[in-house]
């Protein structure tokens, strides 16, 4: 079993075993699976998703970014020994029996940006503003009120398929284990992932030569889904729906 070791200033704080089928959301609010109580960390910052026998780290559009081995990432297949930096904390990923993951993405598919992490740390220390705290507190207070809101994906091409969205991630790709299997040339094993965050559902591009589009616009990182959005990948077309009377933020719409 793989293990995530949470560390701060070189001191180990806690270990989190992560097995097949598990998913961990990392963030500042206690609703997360791995809680890092630091203002440099977003409400929901990143997610680690088990896909088959491997593990994928996805940045959830965090304000200050997620880093693996000092490189800022959008999505990254984790390998044994990877060090994930979130705020001032580090998560060390241990999985000695795992695959190398080196052939999942070419540089042209997901580009990482080399940055000076010391400068990032300095910027993070300056980001602790009262306004941001108030905004985050407001989000935290309203989370529980949105748990009953319903989202749904409807596959419009080929055999019709409907998938009700919950808190579990939804994977789109060519893999037999994908929740929605897409057809076409150059589609990644896991091409995209849909996650529920505190203010709605987000689609994140993961990999593959075939680009994923929402309403004809190419998704290069993450995008928040709105009611009636049309997702296209290869020959597969999917529509995102919300329960009647609610918008993507879970607010009641006017009739």
């Amino acid at each position: 079993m793989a293990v995530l070791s949470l560390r701060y200033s070189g001191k180990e704080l806690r270990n989190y075993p992560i097995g097949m089928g598990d998913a961990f959301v990392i963030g500042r609010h206690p609703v997360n699976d791995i809680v890092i109580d630091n203002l440099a960390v977003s409400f929901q910052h990143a997610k680690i998703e088990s896909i088959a026998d491997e593990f994928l780290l996805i940045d959830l559009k965090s304000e200050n970014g997620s880093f693996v081995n000092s490189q800022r990432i959008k999505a990254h297949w984790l390998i044994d020994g990877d060090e994930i930096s979130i705020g001032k904390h580090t998560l060390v990923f241990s999985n000695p029996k795992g695959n190398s993951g080196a052939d999942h993405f070419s540089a042209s598919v997901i580009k990482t940006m080399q940055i000076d992490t010391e400068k990032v740390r300095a910027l993070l220390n300056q980001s602790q503003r009262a306004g941001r705290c108030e905004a985050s507190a407001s989000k935290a207070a309203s989370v529980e009120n949105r748990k009953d809101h319903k989202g749904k994906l409807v596959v419009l091409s080929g055999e019709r398929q409907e998938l009700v969205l919950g808190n579990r991630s939804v994977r789109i790709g060519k893999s037999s284990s994908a929740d929605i299997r897409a057809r076409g040339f150059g589609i990644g094993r896991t091409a995209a992932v849909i996650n529920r965050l505190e203010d709605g559902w987000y689609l994140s591009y993961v990999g593959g030569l075939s680009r994923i589009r929402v309403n004809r616009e190419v998704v290069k990182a993450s995008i928040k889904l709105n009611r009636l959005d049309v997702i296209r990948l290869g020959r597969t077309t999917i529509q995102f729906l919300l329960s009647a009377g609610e918008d993507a933020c879970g607010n009641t719409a006017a009739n």
Side-chain angles (χ1 to χ4, degrees):
M1 178 176 286
V3 175
L4 292 163
S5 177
L6 179 63
R7 301 178 183 180
Y8 179 77
S9 296
K11 181 181 178 181
E12 186 174 289
L13 303 179
R14 185 174 175 183
N15 289 324
Y16 298 87
I18 178 168
M20 301 289 292
D22 287 346
F24 284 87
V25 180
I26 306 163
R28 190 175 72 251
H29 192 265
V31 72
N32 295 289
D33 302 294
I34 299 177
V35 178
I36 301 178
D37 187 13
N38 186 286
L39 290 178
V41 180
S42 295
F43 182 88
Q44 287 183 313
H45 197 104
K47 184 170 187 176
I48 296 176
E49 178 86 8
S50 169
I51 300 175
D53 59 348
E54 299 176 70
F55 298 90
L56 179 67
L57 171 69
I58 303 170
D59 181 78
L60 300 178
K61 297 193 73 177
S62 64
E63 184 167 355
N64 293 312
S66 300
F67 303 85
V68 177
N69 305 328
S70 300
Q71 292 184 341
R72 188 166 188 168
I73 60 92
K74 297 174 183 175
H76 174 84
W77 291 99
L78 293 168
I79 61 173
D80 183 45
D82 275 349
E83 294 189 0
I84 306 163
S85 298
I86 293 179
K88 296 182 179 181
H89 289 68
T90 300
L91 282 162
V92 178
F93 178 76
S94 300
N95 189 25
K97 296 183 179 180
N99 295 329
S100 68
D103 60 346
H104 282 287
F105 304 119
S106 66
S108 62
V109 175
I110 289 185
K111 296 180 179 178
T112 57
M113 180 173 61
Q114 295 282 356
I115 64 169
D116 184 337
T117 55
E118 291 302 319
K119 290 182 180 179
V120 171
R121 300 294 186 233
L123 290 173
L124 298 187
N125 290 333
Q126 297 172 11
S127 68
Q128 301 177 9
R129 300 186 180 94
R132 182 179 307 163
C133 296
E134 292 174 1
S136 297
S138 176
K139 290 179 182 178
S142 60
V143 158
E144 295 298 324
N145 296 328
R146 291 198 291 267
K147 284 186 176 179
D148 60 342
H149 295 166
K150 304 297 182 183
K152 182 167 66 174
L153 297 175
V154 179
V155 180
L156 303 177
S157 55
E159 184 177 349
R160 185 179 176 88
Q161 176 185 356
E162 294 188 5
L163 184 65
V164 176
L165 298 173
N167 293 324
R168 184 180 67 85
S169 292
V170 171
R171 301 188 296 270
I172 304 171
K174 70 176 183 181
S175 171
S176 60
S177 64
D179 299 289
I180 296 178
R181 296 189 67 183
R183 302 185 182 278
F185 175 77
I187 293 174
R189 201 161 54 86
T190 298
V193 178
I194 295 175
N195 289 292
R196 183 171 189 174
L197 303 186
E198 72 274 13
D199 61 341
W201 281 270
Y202 283 77
L203 181 144
S204 300
Y205 168 68
V206 177
L209 297 177
S210 180
R211 295 293 186 175
I212 191 164
R213 300 174 184 270
V214 174
N215 304 329
R216 302 183 183 276
E217 296 294 325
V218 174
V219 178
K220 296 181 180 180
S222 296
I223 186 173
K224 183 177 180 180
L225 294 173
N226 296 304
R227 184 171 178 267
L228 302 181
D229 275 351
V230 175
I231 304 164
R232 291 184 174 86
L233 177 62
R235 300 195 301 271
T236 301
T237 303
I238 307 162
Q239 189 164 42
F240 173 71
L241 302 176
L242 285 171
S243 53
E246 296 169 353
D247 63 17
C249 294
N251 298 317
T252 302
N255 293 326

